[in-house]
Every structure is written in structure tokens, then in C-alpha cells.
Amino acid sequence: MSTCIYQECERCFLDTDKVLKAFYEAIGWNMTDNHLMPSALLSRGTWMEILDATIGCLQVFGVMDAAQKVQYWHDNLGDIHANDKPLIPDLPRFVEYFRQLGIIVAICTSDDRRATDSCIRNWNLENLIDLSICGDEVVESKPSSYPLLALCKQAGVSPHECIVVGDTSADMGMGRNSKAGLIVGVLSGSGTANHLFEKGAHLVVPDVGYLVGITSMFLSPQNLSSHADTSNMLKSRTVSL
């Protein structure tokens, strides 16, 4: 996105440093430490929300055709996930583990459909994801409960039967607002452990690989006998990429 800002600054003879500073503040990027701030728009927002913030920033500095320029840039992005590394090694086998347990695996992301499908292909998950819903397909985006409720309707399950896994405040908020059975925060994004707990996480783990141990613990014979609702809760899991 900063590439688009640079191009417009050069085209319109703007002070690049001033425009970038305003842009980074709008999307939640800490220029001093070069990292995303917790709850940053760039990590939790949909593409439309991020594009709107970019357009608004450019318009403040007098770029009146910013909407057309930013949309053109976005339309010609190409495969932005082409070089993204999987969340953990051997991700397909990790997802297959949950499917063998009878768990419905779903993706609930603020990214748009084009980028999400590209990511699924690049990570060899095409035949492993049961359901998915994207930021450009929902009436209300995370942290609203709407995306998860829409997935639950498709899967034929209730929110309390779901494990919601995510690394942003929006993921945690969606889980809390929909009353998900278990909300797991992951330290792979901009959120700290305290931040994720504050926004609704029941527990926080370093990466999604820890979910294997969590589900193994819940599905052990002694836990199944002492927690009658556990098997129902594990019918479905929602993951935000």
C-alpha cells in the first residue's frame, strides 16, 4: 500500500514524509519501532476499510481522484500471498489432523476472496478447508459476530460448538460477541497476550501448532467423561488467516 502512496506523492508533488506519516497512523503502523500496533487497522480491517483509510489520507492532502487511483492499484495487485510462508511447517498435515477428528475446518478472514483463495492454493489447502468466508462477502466484518454466525449456519452448528482461533483483536471480539465455545489467541500477529485476553481470548498460545495439544487434552477419555459438552464444542473450528 505504501507503494501507492509513493506513486501519488510523486504524481502530485506532495511531501512524501508527511503523507506517509498520516497514512501509517491511519493503518496502525509504528514508524519508530517498525511494527503493527495492537488492534491496528492493517491487521484487523477488511481490504475495503484499509482502502478507505488510504483514500481518505490522500484526499486530505489534495489528491481528489484518490479513490480511482487506489482502486486501480488494488485491482492490479496480483498474488500478494505468493511468497507468504505457511503459519507452521507442514500445514496441510496439521489441518488434516483436525479433519480426521471430525472437526469442520473453516476460514473466517478479513482479507478478500481473491487473496484468500490465492493463499489457500499456495499453501496446498484446497481440499482441506470445508468452509470459508471473507471480508468482502459479509454485511458486518469482525469483531461483529456476523461472520462466525454465517459460517455456523452453513456448517449446521452453534457458536458454542466452535473453537475460534485468531491473532487479532477483531478475531477475539468476533468469538466473544458470538459466544464461541473456546476462543484461542495466537501470538503470530500484532496482538500481545494481555491484549488478546482483554479482547476475549480464553487462552493464548505462541502459534496454531499448539492446537493439537489442546484438542488432544480435551478429547482424552477422562476429559470426555468429565466434560459432556467437549465433543460438541469440537465439532467446528474457525481459523482467521
Side-chain angles (χ1 to χ4, degrees), residues 4 7-9 11-12 14 51 54-73:
C4 179
Q7 291 173 345
E8 291 309 302
C9 286
R11 184 176 70 91
C12 299
L14 302 176
L51 294 177
T54 307
I55 292 167
C57 177
L58 287 171
Q59 287 177 338
V60 166
F61 286 91
V63 183
M64 303 321 296
D65 61 346
Q68 293 90 337
K69 295 296 183 180
V70 171
Q71 189 61 53
Y72 177 82
W73 173 86

Side-chain angles (χ1 to χ4, degrees), residues 176-196:
R176 180 166 61 183
N177 290 333
S178 60
K179 297 180 174 56
L182 180 63
I183 307 170
V184 181
V186 183
L187 297 175
S188 57
S190 61
T192 64
N194 287 339
H195 178 72
L196 294 173

Side-chain angles (χ1 to χ4, degrees), residues 203-223:
L203 55 99
V204 174
V205 296
D207 61 60
V208 294
Y210 282 75
L211 289 172
V212 173
I214 293 170
T215 53
S216 296
M217 177 183 67
F218 277 121
L219 290 173
S220 64
Q222 58 268 36
N223 280 332

Side-chain angles (χ1 to χ4, degrees), residues 20-228:
L20 281 176
K21 181 180 179 181
F23 170 66
Y24 287 144
E25 288 178 354
I27 65 173
W29 180 260
N30 186 319
M31 295 178 64
T32 303
D33 299 326
N34 285 324
H35 71 266
L36 279 175
M37 300 176 66
S39 297
L41 176 64
L42 189 59
S43 65
R44 63 174 168 77
T46 64
W47 259 115
M48 185 56 66
E49 291 168 339
I50 295 169
L51 294 177
D52 284 345
T54 307
I55 292 167
C57 177
L58 287 171
Q59 287 177 338
V60 166
F61 286 91
V63 183
M64 303 321 296
D65 61 346
Q68 293 90 337
K69 295 296 183 180
V70 171
Q71 189 61 53
Y72 177 82
W73 173 86
H74 179 252
D75 291 342
N76 291 276
L77 265 181
D79 185 356
I80 62 173
H81 294 299
N83 298 315
D84 286 1
K85 294 182 179 180
L87 300 172
I88 57 172
D90 204 357
L91 185 58
R93 190 170 82 168
F94 169 79
V95 176
E96 181 61 31
Y97 166 82
F98 295 98
R99 287 169 58 89
Q100 290 179 357
L101 292 175
I103 297 174
I104 299 170
V105 179
I107 292 176
C108 180
T109 176
S110 293
D111 214 337
D112 60 23
R113 171 55 63 186
R114 181 180 61 176
T116 300
D117 286 347
S118 173
C119 190
I120 291 172
R121 284 194 307 271
N122 294 342
W123 289 352
N124 298 313
L125 300 176
E126 297 103 315
N127 299 318
L128 297 173
I129 303 299
D130 297 299
L131 301 167
S132 63
I133 193 167
C134 303
D136 57 348
E137 300 170 337
V138 296
V139 177
E140 298 176 15
S141 59
K142 296 184 287 186
S144 166
S145 62
Y146 180 89
L148 183 60
L149 295 180
L151 282 173
C152 286
K153 184 176 181 179
Q154 293 180 57
V157 299
S158 300
H160 72 269
E161 298 175 296
C162 297
I163 304 174
V164 172
V165 184
D167 59 10
T168 71
S169 61
D171 297 324
M172 303 300 97
M174 180 186 70
R176 180 166 61 183
N177 290 333
S178 60
K179 297 180 174 56
L182 180 63
I183 307 170
V184 181
V186 183
L187 297 175
S188 57
S190 61
T192 64
N194 287 339
H195 178 72
L196 294 173
F197 276 124
E198 177 186 330
K199 296 301 181 179
H202 296 134
L203 55 99
V204 174
V205 296
D207 61 60
V208 294
Y210 282 75
L211 289 172
V212 173
I214 293 170
T215 53
S216 296
M217 177 183 67
F218 277 121
L219 290 173
S220 64
Q222 58 268 36
N223 280 332
L224 284 176
S225 62
S226 59
H227 299 285

